[in-house]
Amino acid sequence: MRSKQLELFVGLFVVLGFISLAYLAIQVSGLRTIGNNNTYQIQARFDDIGGLTERAKVSVAGVTVGEVDNIVLDKELYMALVTVNIHSDVTTIPTDSAAAILTNGLLGEKYIGISIGAEEEYLKNGDELYDTQSALVLENLISQFLFESTSGDNE
Amino acid sequence: MSNNFVDIQNMSFYRGDRAIYKDISIQIPKGKITAIMGPSGTGKTTLLRLIGGQLKPDSGDIFLDGKNVPYLSRKDLYLVRKKIGMLFQSGALFTDINVFDNVAFPLREHTDFSEEIIKDIVLMKLQSVGLRGAAQLMPSELSGGMARRAALARAFALDPELVMYDEPFAGQDPISKGVVVALIKRLNESVGMTSVLVSHDVSDSLSIADYVYILSGGNVVAKGTSEEIRQSNDERVIQFLGGLPDGPVPFHFDAADYQLDMNMHVNDGGRLK
Amino acid sequence: MKSIQYIGSASLAWLASFGRGGLFLFQVMFHKPKSLSSVFSLLFKQIYSVGVLSLVIIIVSGLFIGMVLALQGYTILAQFGSEQAVGQLLALTLLRELGPVVTALLFAGRACSALTAEIGLMKATEQLSSLEMMGVDPYRRIIAPRFIAGLICLPILSIVFSAVGILGGEFVAVGWLGIHGGSFWSLMQQSVFFSTDVVNGIIKAFCFAIATTWIAVFQGYECEPTSEGIGRATTRTVVLGSLSILALDFILTAAMFGDF
């Protein structure tokens, strides 16, 4: 019957929509299965976060192990207090590891790279990383360079 | 309970500044065929729309089976409309469904009848207009006359108490016209339906109408039984019935003096003076 | 003097029609359906004619636009040595902007003009009047199914457009221009966030759907029941629909991707 055929086509249409959506989700945006609600939180204070934003990645040896959850100003120390979510299956980050704000590529976005320390104690939920390195701010670099080069000339 | 199915009292309706109807009163008696006639442009179709509640009058009352139509809520209006059927000038069949579904439409919408019963009713209605064999055709496959008959079947699918016909005889060949005339008369007699037909076809309307109204210029110019109208002495009635080209409805559209117009000069720029 | 008067009366008329349109939208959205099954049967028919029949033009357009984007993007990015980023460019442009906008524009031209013409013709042949006189709500039977179908179909079409575009772009970039497939996809995946890019694109498409379908249905309902009237209404649907898509796009983009 004509209406059966119609319903078939409409059904196919909707299915096509879902397939496309799934394709976009998985292949295009790399949506992984969302089992990563298991995270624990670490904090770190930086002098200057540069252009670090929330949801920026956090990596160890270049492998993404978490993301930035929250950035606020610590009003007593006037430093940036960054809260980071780390995946629960990464449990072996030593407590003396260093966190640095690095740039992805030459003009890319900022992310946090953690260099592993030597301690045998590992980070737990709520711990803080004390060894931090702020972002390289381009203007400071340039003025530093100019200053050094001019003072160098004067000698 | 009056004897009139439709009672229009002191109704006025304006389109912009133009008065289509000025304070008119019309009574449509129950169980009879009433013809409303008049020259084209007097707004006869508008009157049917006013009765059906599609348009609201600027003042006055329109009583339909005792209910004052302009003041009804949307819900009540739809309930009242179930009691009336309307045959539009063009038939207005739904072009995306076939004849059977068209006639079944009001039944499916307004009743809970099973498909079995609906099928029987539809076939009965189609039989009475002579189109039972055409039930599976699409409206685009029907001739004009057949389309109108199908629309007629649809109009009284629910056995309404009032049926309104908008120019049922317009543009039909004599045979189709005869069919429509016979159908209107037969429906009226067999079921005691009240019928209102709007037309400017004098002979056909007068032949079946019990009661006649002649409208012109937004007013009722004459009313009475068809006999009374035929013997009227009113100029306007005589002009209308006789089809005389000139009379109270003038032949000439308002224009300046003829002599002056003919003596015009063609000015520079080609403008007529 | 007269032209000022004209501007005044035209603005008032425009405002009035906008008001009517708003009331119309309200009535369409809040009419009472007769029963769930009747809603579905009417709706399915409309989804077929509005959505399924638009698939061909959407898929073909998506394919070509994806391919052109990849081609153009490659040419420009190669100047900076960043051809690898063409995947990112392709995906983000399609998902955020071109997918919803171009689909909506095509939709306004094809499906919406058909809607206006159909409803206008129903008005001209007195089918709408006869529905009313039969005590059937034309909003329920004619207008609402078409409106809802538009709301459902445009987001779906937009998703299909983006997906097909990316496929087309991949074919050009990886298959033809020789970009490494692995980096193409991984860079793209790194920069495309489902919850912002894909979902926002869908939200945009939904907003466009409301605007264009509303305009289409309203113009059809309001048009003069003559052949020129229908023609004018159809043109107005396409023009107004397209302009509102572009205007809405700016507002939505600023709201979603701007940094407020």
Side-chain angles (χ1 to χ4, degrees):
Chain A
M1 252 211 69
R2 239 197 98 197
S3 84
K4 276 285 172 278
Q5 205 184 21
L6 200 99
E7 286 176 5
L8 184 68
F9 280 129
V10 171
L12 281 176
F13 177 70
V14 176
V15 166
L16 180 65
F18 275 118
I19 292 178
S20 305
L21 188 63
Y23 175 74
L24 287 179
I26 297 171
Q27 183 70 339
V28 174
S29 54
L31 198 69
R32 301 283 171 252
T33 45
I34 312 171
N36 292 334
N37 281 328
N38 302 323
T39 57
Y40 61 97
Q41 290 197 331
I42 299 292
Q43 291 189 326
R45 288 185 169 77
F46 295 88
D47 285 316
D48 194 333
I49 54 166
L52 187 71
T53 55
E54 290 168 9
R55 294 202 64 203
K57 71 176 182 195
V58 176
S59 64
V60 172
V63 177
T64 306
V65 297
E67 62 177 31
V68 173
D69 184 44
N70 193 23
I71 304 175
V72 292
L73 179 67
D74 182 338
K75 296 205 183 70
E76 291 165 20
L77 298 174
Y78 285 104
M79 290 174 83
L81 176 61
V82 178
T83 314
V84 154
N85 291 335
I86 308 240
H87 298 157
S88 302
D89 45 0
V90 181
T91 51
T92 53
I93 303 179
T95 48
D96 65 339
S97 304
I101 299 184
L102 304 169
T103 314
N104 206 358
L106 191 59
L107 298 167
E109 69 222 22
K110 296 279 192 287
Y111 69 99
I112 294 181
I114 298 182
S115 331
I116 299 298
E119 284 278 345
E120 291 198 350
E121 254 191 73
Y122 298 131
L123 291 173
K124 300 183 303 295
N125 189 32
D127 281 349
E128 186 176 337
L129 278 174
Y130 295 103
D131 190 352
T132 62
Q133 185 184 31
S134 299
L136 287 172
V137 182
L138 216 53
E139 293 85 3
N140 293 344
L141 262 181
I142 293 176
S143 65
Q144 214 175 15
F145 178 69
L146 288 173
F147 182 68
E148 275 171 10
S149 64
T150 48
S151 61
D153 283 347
N154 281 342
E155 278 175 13
Chain B
M1 212 51 225
S2 80
N3 224 7
N4 297 319
F5 196 79
V6 179
D7 198 350
I8 302 177
Q9 291 173 358
N10 305 107
M11 191 262 296
S12 302
F13 182 73
Y14 290 83
R15 265 237 166 90
D17 288 330
R18 212 161 62 102
I20 311 282
Y21 290 112
K22 268 188 300 240
D23 205 28
I24 67 166
S25 298
I26 295 181
Q27 283 77 39
I28 313 276
K30 250 190 230 186
K32 303 260 185 274
I33 302 179
T34 306
I36 300 187
M37 302 199 280
S40 53
T42 42
K44 304 190 291 293
T45 310
T46 314
L47 186 64
L48 291 184
R49 286 182 200 261
L50 283 162
I51 296 177
Q54 274 191 314
L55 297 170
K56 266 205 173 67
D58 290 291
S59 67
D61 300 309
I62 301 177
F63 289 100
L64 189 65
D65 199 24
K67 301 200 174 45
N68 199 345
V69 169
Y71 297 98
L72 288 178
S73 71
R74 206 179 156 84
K75 202 173 61 137
D76 292 331
L77 188 58
Y78 278 114
L79 286 174
V80 163
R81 280 181 181 163
K82 282 198 247 184
K83 292 200 218 157
I84 59 184
M86 181 147 167
L87 180 61
F88 287 85
Q89 198 166 343
S90 54
L93 291 173
F94 301 131
T95 45
D96 50 338
I97 50 183
N98 66 17
V99 169
F100 183 92
D101 291 322
N102 259 288
V103 181
F105 184 82
L107 293 164
R108 290 188 180 129
E109 287 290 321
H110 289 303
T111 67
D112 283 323
F113 295 155
S114 69
E115 277 302 304
E116 291 292 307
I117 298 184
I118 290 182
K119 187 172 82 116
D120 289 338
I121 298 180
V122 170
L123 291 178
M124 272 200 290
K125 304 292 179 194
L126 285 175
Q127 174 78 346
S128 58
V129 298
L131 284 180
R132 190 167 53 92
Q136 297 304 319
L137 294 180
M138 297 296 284
S140 50
E141 296 169 321
L142 301 173
S143 72
M146 288 165 69
R148 205 168 292 192
R149 282 192 275 162
L152 183 55
R154 184 180 69 177
F156 65 92
L158 288 175
D159 291 316
E161 294 169 37
L162 168 70
V163 180
M164 303 196 280
Y165 304 88
D166 189 359
E167 305 276 1
F169 313 122
Q172 305 241 47
D173 65 87
I175 298 180
S176 311
K177 223 192 280 191
V179 170
V180 176
V181 169
L183 281 174
I184 295 180
K185 189 113 189 125
R186 185 148 54 96
L187 281 176
N188 203 77
E189 284 168 4
S190 58
V191 195
M193 243 186 256
T194 309
S195 307
V196 178
L197 63 94
V198 153
S199 175
H200 40 62
D201 189 314
V202 173
S203 49
D204 290 305
S205 309
L206 284 182
S207 71
I208 54 170
D210 299 312
Y211 212 67
V212 176
Y213 276 87
I214 300 190
L215 307 179
S216 177
N219 293 310
V220 176
V221 156
K223 64 179 179 186
T225 65
S226 12
E227 263 318 297
E228 290 169 6
I229 293 291
R230 259 190 265 253
Q231 289 160 5
S232 164
N233 285 322
D234 191 324
E235 294 196 300
R236 293 173 288 186
V237 176
I238 296 177
Q239 184 195 10
F240 185 69
L241 294 182
L244 305 171
D246 209 1
V249 177
F251 178 71
H252 289 290
F253 195 72
D254 241 347
D257 186 76
Y258 195 28
Q259 191 77 336
L260 230 53
D261 250 3
M262 287 300 278
N263 286 336
M264 64 207 171
H265 306 287
V266 178
N267 234 342
D268 45 338
R271 292 177 131 264
L272 300 174
K273 219 183 178 170
Chain C
M1 213 36 342
K2 222 179 173 194
S3 41
I4 298 182
Q5 202 178 29
Y6 175 70
I7 295 176
S9 67
S11 324
L12 281 176
W14 184 80
L15 267 175
S17 78
F18 206 62
R20 272 201 305 280
L23 281 172
F24 180 79
L25 182 67
F26 185 76
Q27 272 177 315
V28 172
M29 296 208 288
F30 296 112
H31 75 284
K32 282 197 197 71
K34 185 178 173 209
S35 69
L36 213 58
S37 61
S38 70
V39 165
F40 276 125
S41 63
L42 289 170
L43 189 57
F44 273 20
K45 186 145 186 275
Q46 289 313 313
I47 292 183
Y48 178 78
S49 74
V50 164
V52 177
L53 292 179
S54 305
L55 263 181
V56 177
I57 189 178
I58 295 295
I59 289 180
V60 173
S61 309
L63 206 58
F64 279 119
I65 287 187
M67 295 200 290
V68 166
L69 260 181
L71 201 52
Q72 286 280 25
Y74 180 88
T75 321
I76 295 175
L77 287 172
Q79 296 175 10
F80 300 102
S82 313
E83 322 76 64
Q84 307 288 329
V86 77
Q88 261 174 289
L89 172 74
L90 181 68
L92 288 176
T93 318
L94 275 173
L95 287 171
R96 290 185 186 180
E97 284 303 320
L98 288 188
V101 173
V102 174
T103 309
L105 287 173
L106 291 170
F107 185 79
R110 193 229 146 248
C112 291
S113 60
L115 279 181
T116 305
E118 202 186 348
I119 297 180
L121 195 63
M122 281 190 172
K123 189 174 185 202
T125 52
E126 295 181 301
Q127 286 179 50
L128 289 183
S129 283
S130 58
L131 268 181
E132 275 187 14
M133 291 304 263
M134 273 191 251
V136 173
D137 190 357
Y139 286 114
R140 167 168 68 78
R141 189 139 215 296
I142 306 283
I143 313 281
R146 287 168 171 78
F147 184 72
I148 298 176
L151 293 189
I152 293 177
C153 289
L154 185 51
I156 294 181
L157 288 171
S158 162
I159 293 172
V160 172
F161 184 93
S162 299
V164 169
I166 291 175
L167 271 174
E170 190 227 3
F171 174 72
V172 167
V174 177
W176 183 21
L177 294 169
I179 291 182
H180 185 245
S183 9
F184 179 85
W185 287 114
S186 66
L187 277 173
M188 186 198 293
Q189 285 175 5
Q190 272 181 16
S191 52
V192 174
F193 292 116
F194 185 82
S195 53
T196 45
D197 300 311
V198 179
V199 170
N200 280 341
I202 299 177
I203 294 178
K204 269 194 189 180
F206 191 72
C207 294
F208 295 152
I210 296 180
T212 49
T213 320
W214 171 29
I215 290 175
V217 166
F218 181 60
Q219 289 298 327
Y221 192 76
E222 276 254 304
C223 76
E224 284 169 31
T226 61
S227 40
E228 307 96 45
I230 296 177
R232 263 201 300 268
T234 313
T235 314
R236 231 178 288 142
T237 292
V238 178
V239 171
L240 273 180
S242 306
L243 289 177
S244 55
I245 290 169
L246 296 173
L248 267 178
D249 180 47
F250 173 71
I251 296 173
L252 290 171
T253 307
M256 293 176 186
F257 297 108
D259 267 324
F260 290 132

